Amino acid sequence: MKKIAIFASGTGSNAENLAHTFAGDPQICVDSLFCDRENAPVIEKMRRYGVPVFYFPKEVWRGDCKEIAGLLKSRGIDLIVLAGFTSFVADSIVQAFDRRIINLHPSLLPKFGGKGMWGMNVHRAVIEAGEKESGITVHYVSQEIDGGEIVAQYKCDVLPGDTPEALVARIHALEHRYLPAVVRSLLG
């Protein structure tokens, strides 16, 4: 059985989608959630699926994270999925899980990536730049923010008169459809 750890900070729609997709799967399971916000809605969603939750405050994530890396190793984690995780992943974790950490980014990298480019900031920037398409990128996590090797990209149109809220609805649909398939392909 291949084990996934999810790192998330927010509402957790992608984490919940992964937990639902792999519930009862004989080959892949969502083993654990690692969260940097004590009251993040994702925590309750994952508990409903019986997924153990590990909370570490942002101050811990800003440190060397050896405790977190050790916990991940002791749980036998095969793949870490960043799904709406807003803390920086320490070098010790990136090195310990080289090419076994992926991030889901809500744009077609390398466009609209890097510092400050998360959540609605990305969708506003895409619309303000007059882009005709946007989408999602799944990439390996490296020491450069949004700079790791691209695993997969999926596109959608940016429509005339789009608002960030309208665009994010299409982006979420892509995320929910494709992220589980990418995870399965990496662990297959």
Side-chain angles (χ1 to χ4, degrees):
M1 170 85 55
K2 301 288 186 173
K3 296 181 178 181
I4 304 167
I6 299 173
F7 288 11
S9 302
T11 59
S13 67
N14 282 301
E16 183 176 33
N17 186 44
L18 288 171
H20 176 77
T21 299
F22 296 116
D25 189 291
Q27 298 173 336
I28 300 171
C29 75
V30 175
D31 173 82
S32 48
L33 169 72
F34 286 71
C35 192
D36 61 352
R37 287 183 49 221
E38 190 171 17
N39 297 315
V42 67
I43 292 172
E44 186 56 38
K45 288 178 180 176
M46 298 308 279
R47 285 190 174 141
R48 280 187 235 134
Y49 284 91
V51 174
V53 174
F54 299 95
Y55 162 70
F56 293 91
K58 288 190 179 285
E59 299 76 46
V60 173
W61 291 98
R62 290 184 194 118
D64 66 15
C65 292
K66 288 181 181 166
E67 178 184 359
I68 297 169
L71 183 55
L72 290 161
K73 285 180 182 178
S74 73
R75 296 187 70 80
I77 299 301
D78 296 291
L79 183 69
I80 299 169
V81 179
L82 277 57
F85 188 63
T86 58
S87 285
F88 185 74
V89 180
D91 291 347
S92 60
I93 296 174
V94 173
Q95 291 166 0
F97 290 88
D98 184 43
R99 293 184 62 83
R100 294 189 297 143
I101 308 173
I102 58 172
N103 182 46
L104 175 61
H105 186 79
S107 77
L108 298 172
L109 293 174
K111 290 183 175 183
F112 308 104
K115 190 170 182 164
M117 284 290 115
W118 56 274
M120 294 303 272
N121 296 342
V122 173
H123 309 301
R124 277 191 287 277
V126 166
I127 291 169
E128 288 171 5
E131 295 290 322
K132 301 294 183 212
E133 63 182 10
S134 189
I136 63 170
T137 301
V138 179
H139 66 91
Y140 288 114
V141 172
S142 68
Q143 295 172 345
E144 178 186 347
I145 297 174
D146 296 329
E149 177 187 344
I150 293 173
V151 175
Q153 290 186 314
Y154 301 95
K155 298 176 182 179
C156 66
D157 292 331
V158 177
L159 304 175
D162 252 346
T163 63
E165 294 77 15
L167 179 56
V168 78
R170 288 194 302 284
I171 296 296
H172 281 316
L174 290 175
E175 293 171 346
H176 293 172
R177 179 176 179 188
Y178 291 111
L179 180 58
V182 171
V183 168
R184 189 176 299 282
S185 73
L186 291 173
L187 291 175

